[in-house]
């Protein structure tokens, strides 16, 4: 015999219940999985799939609710729905009494009778109110989590509402599926009809007739105890499988300092191991999204370049977290960027020449302070940091004076001896080879010759002026120590003639010195020729003496003009020596 | 038996003397006046009468202008003939560009280089005696305005001409000291009465001294001062030509600062040079200053101004000044 049934829900309400309820449960389930995954309780490949599902179902639920409201308006059911909604969630003073009495009713049902209620009791209203508020809050915080992912306030609220929703859903399912007194109402949410007896016991005010107060407890404590026992049994099994210590650790993490349940992932190792980061709020100051200030407190080098508008960081207006979001795992690369697309010109070091062909890691090596990371900021641009100095620091550190990024040698060399070296290659020296002066053996790249004076290479001339000719001490020339080489030698004259030198004489002396200089030249030549003629007489009778004196003539003639009087005397001595019966 | 000379005899003697004096005063000495670059009176010939002048000259740089060792070395044994116009000038150089003499170059700048002009022996003095053994012509100007000296000392003459100094002396006043004497001092039998008959006249010695130290000392104003241990030397040249001067060769004026410590030890603190070439001389009328810090151990400083030629030859002190370091 079928019991008489009473219609409890309209078809629209049933449809709306399931269209909201199923996604709601899916959201709670996926949300729970996500949190377990974030806490590290569960790990599986493709966790992102659950997160995507959660987001899309959540968005879908919002759409469903909005569409439902739209449909209600379109179908003219808005008034009915509003009335139904008011019945469902408006808690009246006598509902508070119901809530106060209900725990006692569970334990002592005959002593504590629940006040008679209409379509919804206070518990159902509380749940309804919670669901309405929760849906709004979850939708709002969910959207915030998508659009302001690093704002912890949304995450915290979302997670705590989740916990509340889980509790309410648990009670809801328990009452609809397990608890004997309320279980008969389950059919209502499928068919719209519930047994009249159930209505008489739980919602007597719906009936037109007077109904005596129910003698039964609204909740069977046995069912509740059994359910708890089953839950504890299952929990014990899970605990045994999972490991008590791990489980304790994970449980302690819930709501703990690390808020692992809302953490989207492990912090990058450099951050998680940094003793300066003591809590979420070290970065999420005021639980908001981490402001740049939080990053720049530690990353002072970035602060410097941003303040000075230098390099890549100085040119961007964005927030640190726009590029360097964390919580992507200990090994995540926070500074990952597309190295192929990166425009290095935005840095303070424009890649030119052969630098363009380098791999990033050839310059961006391990950070000295954080060996796990490559260094990008504060890399010295000094050539010597990457290139060995073949000149052994003899030429300073400004490589670009001579070299270009296109190459070290040959045509790439921009070295200009007259511009870059202290010794200018004038016309006199223009015919020399490099090796004529840069004679260092074994180190062909060491060009520094020290302080260069004329004497460095032309010591025979200066010593001749000072009175040292052909190894003999003679009278010094009056010019010694009183004139510089440049006083007589024009650096722009490639092959100066005697006439040009003579012209130099009269810059200090009277015009007759012009002719006098030519006399000196002639005198030198004549004396040298005479000496040579005399020395030739030794060629056969004393070859060694011949060779020695011939060399003496050459030595004397070479620098002789710089000390004419002594040179002439020396040449005469050589002649006399060669012509003496016993040459010395 | 002694015979009292007759009036006739006195008359013969008087006539003979008159004839002798007339002959002496009217005759000429071709050996002195008829000269060429190969044949001219040697200074020794002049010195027969002009004894003192010859003595002065033969010790002078003019007498040694050709034979001195420095000139021989500087010309590579006289190979540079262009120097000889002044170092061995031919006679009759007066008012003319000097030309090298062919003969007897070893006598250097001989008497006839300055005192022979168109067959007469020329000089600034009026004849002082009644006898004239050679033609004499008086021409004061080239001797007084330096142009005669300037035939060779051309640069120095220009300096002297350009010098604007009060009481400017001419060449002779410094390099040929004044003296009052007879122009000749011959003691020969014939010459003696002629010399005796000469007047004493103001003249100039022919020493041609290079560095008239006494004159230079007066004309070089050396002052030394020390302020805040900075020693400053101020040298003003009131000599009417550059310091040093000279167209050829090496002329150096050294300004040496000698520091004397409390213990009496003397060290050279610093030295500067003036030179006759390269605009490094101090022109007439101008002064130059040098400064240098003085070590605290120095209690006195002596500044010596001296000149020297090549290789330190002809060294002579020109001025000296001492200062106590406060």
């Amino acid at each position: 015999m079928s019991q008489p049934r009473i219609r409890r829900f309209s078809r629209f309400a049933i449809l709306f219940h399931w269209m909201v309820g199923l996604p709601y449960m899916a959201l709670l389930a996926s949300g729970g999985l996500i949190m377990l995954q974030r806490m590290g309780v569960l790990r599986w490949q493709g966790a992102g799939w659950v997160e995507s599902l959660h987001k899309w179902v959540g968005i879908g639920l919002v759409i469903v609710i909005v569409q439902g409201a739209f449909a209600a308006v379109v179908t003219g059911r808005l008034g009915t729905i509003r009335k139904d909604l008011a019945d469902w969630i408006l808690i009246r003073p006598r509902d508070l009494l119901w809530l106060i009495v209900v725990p006692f009713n569970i334990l002592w049902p005959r002593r504590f009778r629940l006040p008679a209620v209409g379509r919804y009791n206070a518990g159902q209203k509380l749940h309804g109110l919670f669901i309405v508020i929760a849906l709004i809050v979850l939708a709002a915080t969910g959207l915030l989590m998508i659009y302001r992912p690093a704002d912890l306030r949304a995450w915290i609220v979302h997670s705590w509402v989740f916990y509340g929703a889980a509790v309410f859903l648990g009670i809801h399912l328990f009452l609809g599926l397990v608890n004997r007194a309320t279980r008969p109402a389950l059919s209502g949410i499928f068919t719209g009809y519930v047994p009249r007896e159930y209505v008489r016991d739980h919602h007597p005010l719906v009936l037109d007739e007077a109904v005596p107060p129910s003698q039964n407890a609204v909740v069977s404590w046995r069912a509740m105890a059994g359910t708890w026992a089953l839950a504890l049994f299952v929990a014990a099994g899970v605990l045994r499988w999972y490991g008590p210590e791990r489980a304790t650790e994970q449980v302690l993490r819930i709501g703990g300092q690390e808020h692992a349940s809302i953490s989207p992932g492990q912090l990058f190792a450099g951050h998680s191991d940094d003793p300066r980061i003591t809590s979420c709020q070290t970065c999420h100051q005021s639980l908001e999204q981490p402001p740049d200030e939080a990053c720049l407190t530690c990353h002072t080098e970035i602060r410097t370049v941003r303040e000075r508008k230098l390099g890549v960081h100085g040119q961007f207006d964005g927030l640190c977290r726009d590029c360097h979001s964390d919580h992507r795992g200990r090994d995540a690369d926070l500074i990952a960027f597309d190295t192929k697309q990166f425009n290095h010109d935005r840095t303070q070091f424009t890649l030119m020449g052969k630098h363009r062909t380098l791999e990033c890691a050839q310059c961006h090596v391990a950070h000295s302070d954080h060996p796990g990371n490559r260094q990008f900021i504060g890399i010295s641009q000094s050539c010597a940091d990457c290139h060995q100095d073949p000149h052994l620091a003899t030429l300073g550190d400004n490589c670009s004076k001579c070299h270009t990024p296109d190459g070290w040698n040959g045509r790439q060399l921009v070295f200009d001896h007259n511009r870059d070296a202290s010794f200018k290659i004038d016309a006199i020296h223009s015919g020399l080879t490099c090796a004529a002066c840069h004679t260092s053996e074994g180190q062909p790249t060491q060009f520094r010759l020290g302080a260069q004076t004329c004497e460095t290479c032309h010591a025979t001339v200066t010593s001749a002026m000072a009175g040292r000719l052909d190894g003999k001490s003679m009278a010094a020339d009056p010019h010694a120590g009183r004139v510089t080489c440049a006083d007589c030698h024009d650096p722009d004259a490639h092959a100066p003639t005697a006439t040009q030198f003579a012209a130099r004489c009269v810059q200090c002396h009277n015009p007759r010195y012009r002719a006098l200089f030519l006399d000196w030249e002639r005198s030198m030549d004549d004396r040298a020729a005479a000496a040579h003629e005399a020395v030739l007489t030794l060629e056969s009778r004393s070859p060694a003496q011949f060779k020695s004196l011939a060399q003496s003539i050459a030595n004397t003639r070479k620098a002789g003009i710089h000390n004419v009087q002594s040179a002439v005397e020396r040449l005469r001595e050589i002649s006399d020596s060669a012509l003496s019966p016993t040459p010395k | 038996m002694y015979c009292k000379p007759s009036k006739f005899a006195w008359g013969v003697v008087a006539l003979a003397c008159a004839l002798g004096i007339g002959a002496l005063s009217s005759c000429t000495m071709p050996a002195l006046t008829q000269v060429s670059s190969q044949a001219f009176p040697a200074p020794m010939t002049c010195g027969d009468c002009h004894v003192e002048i010859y003595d002065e000259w033969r010790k002078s740089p003019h007498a040694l202008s050709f034979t001195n060792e420095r000139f021989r070395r500087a010309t590579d044994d006289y190979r540079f003939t262009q120097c000889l116009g002044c170092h061995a000038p031919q006679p009759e150089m007066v008012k003319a560009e000097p030309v090298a003499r062919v003969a007897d170059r070893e006598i250097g700048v001989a008497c006839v280089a300055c005192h022979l002009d168109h067959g007469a022996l020329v000089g600034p003095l009026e004849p002082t005696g009644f006898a004239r053994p050679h033609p004499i012509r008086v021409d004061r100007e080239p001797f007084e305005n330096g142009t005669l000296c300037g035939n060779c000392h051309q640069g120095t003459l220009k300096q002297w001409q350009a010098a604007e100094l009060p009481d400017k002396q001419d060449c002779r006043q410094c390099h040929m000291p004044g003296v009052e004497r007879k122009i000749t001092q011959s003691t020969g039998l014939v010459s003696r009465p002629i010399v005796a008959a000469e007047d004493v006249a103001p003249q100039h010695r022919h020493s041609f001294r290079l560095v008239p130290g006494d004159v230079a000392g007066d004309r070089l104003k050396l002052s030394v001062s020390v302020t805040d241990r900075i020693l400053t030397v101020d040298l003003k040249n009131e000599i009417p030509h550059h310091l040093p001067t000279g167209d050829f060769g090496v002329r150096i004026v050294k300004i040496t600062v000698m520091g004397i410590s409390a213990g009496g030890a003397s060290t050279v603190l610093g030295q500067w040079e003036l030179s006759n070439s390269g605009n490094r001389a101090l022109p007439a009328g101008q002064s130059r200053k040098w400064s240098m810090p003085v070590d605290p151990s120095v209690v006195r400083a002596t500044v010596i101004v001296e000149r020297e030629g090549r290789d330190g030859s002809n060294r002579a002190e020109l001025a000296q000044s001492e200062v106590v370091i406060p």
Side-chain angles (χ1 to χ4, degrees), chain B residues 49-69:
Chain B
C49 296
H50 304 280
V51 176
E52 288 190 11
I53 290 175
Y54 171 73
D55 271 352
E56 290 156 4
W57 170 87
R58 68 184 177 85
K59 299 170 190 168
S60 78
H62 280 166
L64 304 171
S65 65
F66 186 86
T67 55
N68 80 80
E69 179 63 9

Side-chain angles (χ1 to χ4, degrees), chain B residues 79 82 168 205 235 237:
Chain B
R79 292 162 64 87
Q82 62 162 311
K168 186 167 78 172
R205 294 191 185 277
L235 181 66
N237 175 26

Side-chain angles (χ1 to χ4, degrees), chain A residues 477 517 520-521 524 556-564 567:
Chain A
D477 188 88
F517 177 82
W520 289 337
E521 281 276 17
M524 286 288 298
T556 307
R557 183 67 188 91
K558 186 176 180 184
I561 194 65
H562 296 88
N563 188 349
V564 173

Side-chain angles (χ1 to χ4, degrees), chain A residues 225-548:
Chain A
T227 305
W228 274 113
L230 180 65
L232 288 173
F233 179 75
V234 171
V238 169
L239 197 64
R240 183 181 174 80
W241 164 73
Y242 193 72
E245 290 181 0
R246 266 179 76 194
T248 306
E249 181 191 340
Q250 297 300 339
V251 170
L252 287 175
R253 289 179 67 177
I254 300 173
Q257 197 175 44
E258 294 185 30
H259 297 282
S261 62
I262 62 167
S263 169
Q266 281 186 302
L267 280 176
F268 154 65
H271 285 158
S272 62
D273 297 342
D274 192 330
R276 290 173 295 186
I277 299 177
T278 55
S279 72
C280 303
Q281 283 158 282
T282 305
C283 300
H284 296 273
Q285 297 169 355
S286 306
L287 297 178
E288 294 174 337
Q289 304 188 93
D292 284 356
E293 185 60 31
C295 308
L296 301 180
T297 302
C298 296
H299 297 281
T300 52
E301 75 280 12
I302 305 291
R303 180 192 294 280
T304 303
V305 295
R306 292 205 69 161
E307 286 176 353
R308 295 181 185 173
K309 304 284 183 195
L310 298 174
V312 174
H313 290 88
Q315 295 174 43
F316 290 161
D317 293 330
L319 300 164
C320 301
R321 61 174 182 273
D322 292 344
C323 300
H324 307 291
S325 63
D326 202 343
H327 293 288
R328 293 187 282 121
R330 284 184 62 83
D331 301 327
D333 189 355
L334 263 60
I335 48 179
F337 53 90
D338 187 345
T339 55
K340 298 298 179 193
Q341 297 296 321
F342 180 71
N343 181 3
H344 213 285
D345 293 351
R346 286 177 175 273
T347 71
Q348 294 177 72
F349 187 78
T350 302
L351 291 181
M352 294 189 293
K354 291 191 172 178
H355 287 138
R356 300 185 73 86
T357 63
L358 296 176
E359 294 297 326
C360 305
Q362 286 182 262
C363 299
H364 299 285
V365 296
H367 198 291
S368 54
D369 297 333
H370 309 288
N373 292 335
R374 284 182 284 149
Q375 183 166 3
F376 290 94
I377 306 291
I379 294 179
S380 168
Q381 297 184 13
S382 164
C383 306
D385 284 348
C386 293
H387 301 281
Q388 277 195 331
D389 180 5
H391 312 301
L392 304 183
T394 56
L395 300 179
D397 55 4
N398 186 5
C399 305
S400 62
K401 274 178 69 178
C402 308
H403 304 287
T404 69
D406 294 321
W408 294 109
N409 307 314
R411 297 174 64 185
Q412 316 303 341
L413 200 64
V414 294
F415 175 76
D416 182 337
H417 210 293
N418 282 348
R419 183 192 61 203
D420 302 320
S422 58
F423 185 85
K424 310 304 175 196
I425 303 291
D426 48 37
I428 300 171
H429 298 93
S430 61
L432 296 175
T433 63
C434 304
C437 300
H438 300 284
T439 55
S440 59
E441 293 177 1
Q443 293 291 347
T445 50
Q446 290 178 46
F447 296 110
R448 178 76 70 189
L449 297 178
Q452 289 296 298
T453 63
C454 303
E455 188 178 2
T456 308
C457 295
H458 304 285
T460 52
V461 171
T462 47
S463 65
M465 287 182 76
R468 192 76 185 167
L469 270 166
D470 186 34
K472 306 275 184 185
S473 288
M474 313 288 286
D477 188 88
H479 294 96
R482 295 193 171 102
V483 298
T484 67
C485 301
D487 288 338
C488 302
H489 293 275
D490 182 355
D492 296 326
H494 174 58
T497 61
T499 308
Q500 285 173 316
F501 280 124
R504 284 267 170 166
C505 296
V506 300
Q507 291 181 1
C508 292
H509 301 282
N510 76 58
R512 291 177 188 248
Y513 271 81
R514 191 188 299 268
L516 200 51
F517 177 82
L518 299 177
D519 280 342
W520 289 337
E521 281 276 17
R522 196 182 65 228
S523 178
M524 286 288 298
D525 288 340
D526 291 351
R527 291 294 182 183
H532 195 69
E533 194 174 334
V535 166
L536 274 176
T537 62
L538 293 171
E539 191 171 14
S540 55
R541 59 188 171 108
S542 179
Q545 186 73 10
F546 164 75
K547 191 175 180 182
S548 170

